[in-house]
Amino acid sequence: MASAIVVGGAVAGLAAARALTLAGAKVTVLERRSAGAPEGAGLLIYPAAARALERLGAIDAFRSVAVPLKGIATFDQSGRLLNSLDAGDFERRYGFPIAGVHRGDLLNALLHELDAELRHGFEVTGLEVGDRVKVLSGFDPLEADALVGADGIRSRVRSALGFGAEPRRSGYVAWRGVARKALPQHSPDTAAIVVGIGRHGGWVPVGAGRVYWFLTGDEGESSGRERALEVLRGWSGPLAGFVAATEPGDVLFNDLIDRDPDVRWGRGPATLAGDAAHAMLPSMAQGANQALEDGSALMAALRQHGLNPSGFRAYEAARHQRTARLVRMSRQIMPVFQWRRASARLLRAALLALPPALSQRQMEWLYRVDS
Ligand SMILES: Cc1cc2nc3c(=O)[nH]c(=O)nc-3n(C[C@H](O)[C@H](O)[C@H](O)COP(=O)(O)OP(=O)(O)OC[C@H]3O[C@@H](n4cnc5c(N)ncnc54)[C@H](O)[C@@H]3O)c2cc1C
């Protein structure tokens, strides 16, 4: 039986581990975090990624924790409704709804019946790639027939493979958190985006009465729940309430970064997946979706070509165009959500008021699930 190592045990890593086991490999997942470490916030999962979860055998576990959404509404910060997307229509058109899920619940769904060894507290420090791969760490070196680096945007595996393209700061930051109690005026199956002046935010129900929220700003902002609440003073709607209902220590704060797309992200019996391969800004909510799609494409390529360098190159070729397009689009869309000038905001409101069917048609390539 061929052996494979996956570096990184989050969305991309666990999806890749499922793909490799389904392709017949004995898989070891190496994860830097200790078991039980915090699992992040929430995610929107679109139909193509749900289809990937189905192919990877994790759809039932996903369905048991995800919240199928009826709608995604867009407001301005004074509470005026600018656009309302019928998310239920996605299920009719594409076979799966848009769903909200807590990242920790998605990781558990990916772990469900995963036939792989998962080692926590294992930080990979280097890599040697020949006909096989050797993984270096503070422990004895590990060898395997193949390796997938799914170790996030600052991937060690990526640098060890010699692929450049440093992460690029966008100039924006985001606060994120999960409110533990829904508020009275909140509809439990509707997500929302709120476009403000020089920033945007939003919320997504993620089940068990929890609501994931996010808020963006410019680089130089300070972290912490109190600053997020200060920013939201004067905004209509429940966003500030969700922030206030989050434990201060649980509020995440990050620079938003991405990386120029690469044509190749593998060498020999090693490849990359998820943010390590194609980090994108969160403006289209696609990073984790693409990590799941990577897993499904990897499984298909390995089934066709076998667990060998040709299989990995076929997977990279299958994924390059779509992910590169999303990296670029996410970069273009982000500033639109951050527009400040009154004239620009009027234009944005007018664009958002266009019939949803129009924008949906333009995005068919993203939503449509290949069979
Ligand atoms: C504000 C915000 C909102 C977002 N919203 C959405 C959304 O709605 N929908 C969506 O699809 N995406 C969204 N994303 C993007 C999404 O979170 C990421 O694209 C996705 O989580 C990437 O998953 P990953 O597994 O590739 O990387 P990561 O989640 O970064 O996981 C990498 C893993 O590798 C481990 N690791 C790192 N280095 C090592 C090492 N040397 N050795 C061993 N282990 C290592 C880490 O501990 C980690 O567990 C959002 C991102 C942000 C910032």
Side-chain angles (χ1 to χ4, degrees), residues 7-8 10-12 30-33 43-44 103 122-124 150-152 156 174 176 212 256 274-275 282 285-289:
V7 183
V11 180
L30 306 175
E31 169 52 53
R32 177 172 66 184
R33 282 174 304 133
L43 296 164
L44 277 171
R103 183 172 172 277
F122 196 113
E123 176 159 11
V124 171
D151 47 344
R156 277 272 171 78
R176 282 180 291 165
Y212 158 62
L256 298 182
D275 279 8
Q286 279 296 318
N289 282 262

